[in-house]
Amino acid sequence: MKIGDLARATGLTVDTLRYYEDIGLLPPSQRDRSGHRIYGAESLRWLEFVGRLKATGMGIADMVRYAQLRAKGPSTNGERRRLMEAHRAKVALKIAELSENLGKLDEKIAWYRAEESATDIAEAAE
Amino acid sequence: MKIGDLARATGLTVDTLRYYEDIGLLPPSQRDRSGHRIYGAESLRWLEFVGRLKATGMGIADMVRYAQLRAKGPSTNGERRRLMEAHRAKVALKIAELSENLGKLDEKIAWYRAEESATDIAEAAE
DNA sequence: GCTTGACCTGGAGTGCACTCCAGGGGGTAA
DNA sequence: TTACCCCCTGGAGTGCACTCCAGGTCAAGC
């Protein structure tokens, strides 16, 4: 799989993939004899995982830290688990915050609806 | 209330408040005779609302749009309600996405725990 | 009367996460 | 063989949301 294929498969751009490699978020890939990057299925799986971390609000620096531990092998499992647990707690908090704010938004929308009804009635009475 | 008081009350910085005024997110305030900004309780309430929009991922440009409609008065109620409804839908989607990813994180954590248990057992057998 | 602290303005600088560009090479299809 | 598309590198540029700074005014406390 060449970089363009991986880009299509992940929804990222070719530029983003090269950027991820630069900063150490994507391990340096194999190259074919003309210097083009070649990727396997494991790159796709890793980027899907990275996408989930990103979707849950993890910053690049933290993801790179995780990637570095992963590159060191199974001896870092404990530390990686602790990172995931800490991140899980943040995500749970974020969900709680969003849910609370969703309630406030609903109140606001209900208020607007009530205002509009009041206006409609006032207009109907004219 | 002076700008420093409002900053303390909202948790924003003085710089951020002046920036919000510059871009039209905070209506221009009254000034005292030496040119210092003076705010009332309604500024605090507005900024709390803005904070909720921000916490739910609304960008500055959209918040400014909403602020402009608000400044135009009740005739824009319908449009403001529609903006809130559109935003509510995005927030609900975001919550669903986060919840799904929380599940995946839990699976990952469970996997690490299982690996660690396996390692413990192997070590105990040595 | 002088220092201190909060405030003012306009503009430059920061951090993040990309995104784009110039200048060049390689493989294949008409 | 020429046109086209994808790939390469190093480096500059972008958009967002602030954040900081220089140089200055003003009111209050010691």
Side-chain angles (χ1 to χ4, degrees):
Chain A
M1 190 163 36
K2 289 201 280 173
I3 197 167
D5 302 317
L6 186 60
R8 269 181 293 280
T10 57
L12 298 169
T13 68
V14 167
D15 279 323
T16 299
L17 291 173
R18 284 196 284 249
Y19 164 69
Y20 280 1
E21 188 183 307
D22 278 357
I23 62 173
L25 185 52
L26 183 59
S29 62
Q30 303 277 113
R31 300 294 181 112
D32 67 13
R33 71 189 176 298
S34 42
H36 294 191
R37 292 170 179 82
I38 329 178
Y39 298 97
E42 74 293 346
S43 297
L44 185 52
R45 281 195 302 274
W46 167 243
L47 287 169
E48 280 163 357
F49 178 63
V50 163
R52 277 196 289 277
L53 292 181
K54 199 172 69 164
T56 51
M58 186 181 279
I60 289 270
D62 286 348
M63 293 194 285
V64 169
R65 210 157 297 137
Y66 184 88
Q68 284 164 348
L69 290 173
R70 182 172 171 269
K72 282 194 197 159
S75 69
T76 63
N77 275 356
E79 194 170 348
R80 280 187 268 161
R81 175 180 53 78
R82 282 189 294 279
L83 285 181
M84 284 304 103
E85 284 171 346
H87 186 57
R88 188 214 182 276
K90 280 188 209 162
V91 175
L93 261 180
K94 185 75 190 168
I95 291 173
E97 189 193 4
L98 284 179
S99 300
E100 193 190 327
N101 283 326
L102 193 72
K104 304 260 185 171
L105 275 176
D106 283 336
E107 284 171 26
K108 197 89 185 178
I109 290 166
W111 182 87
Y112 276 122
R113 281 193 199 289
E115 282 291 302
E116 289 174 87
S117 300
T119 309
D120 289 351
I121 290 162
E123 276 168 6
E126 270 168 20
Chain B
M1 191 164 34
K2 288 201 280 173
I3 196 166
D5 302 317
L6 186 60
R8 270 180 293 279
T10 56
L12 299 168
T13 69
V14 167
D15 278 324
T16 299
L17 291 172
R18 284 196 282 246
Y19 164 69
Y20 279 2
E21 187 182 307
D22 278 357
I23 62 173
L25 185 52
L26 183 59
S29 62
Q30 302 278 114
R31 299 294 180 113
D32 68 13
R33 71 189 176 297
S34 43
H36 294 190
R37 293 168 178 82
I38 329 178
Y39 298 96
E42 73 293 347
S43 297
L44 185 53
R45 281 194 301 276
W46 168 243
L47 287 169
E48 279 163 357
F49 178 64
V50 163
R52 276 195 288 278
L53 293 181
K54 198 172 69 166
T56 50
M58 185 180 281
I60 289 271
D62 286 347
M63 293 194 283
V64 169
R65 211 157 297 139
Y66 183 89
Q68 284 164 350
L69 290 173
R70 183 171 170 268
K72 280 194 197 159
S75 69
T76 63
N77 275 355
E79 195 169 348
R80 280 187 270 162
R81 175 180 55 77
R82 282 189 294 280
L83 286 181
M84 285 303 104
E85 283 170 345
H87 185 59
R88 189 214 181 275
K90 280 187 209 161
V91 175
L93 260 181
K94 185 74 190 168
I95 291 174
E97 189 194 6
L98 285 180
S99 299
E100 193 190 327
N101 284 326
L102 193 71
K104 306 260 186 173
L105 276 176
D106 283 337
E107 284 171 26
K108 197 89 183 178
I109 291 167
W111 182 85
Y112 276 122
R113 282 192 200 289
E115 281 292 303
E116 289 174 88
S117 300
T119 309
D120 290 350
I121 290 162
E123 278 170 5
E126 271 168 21

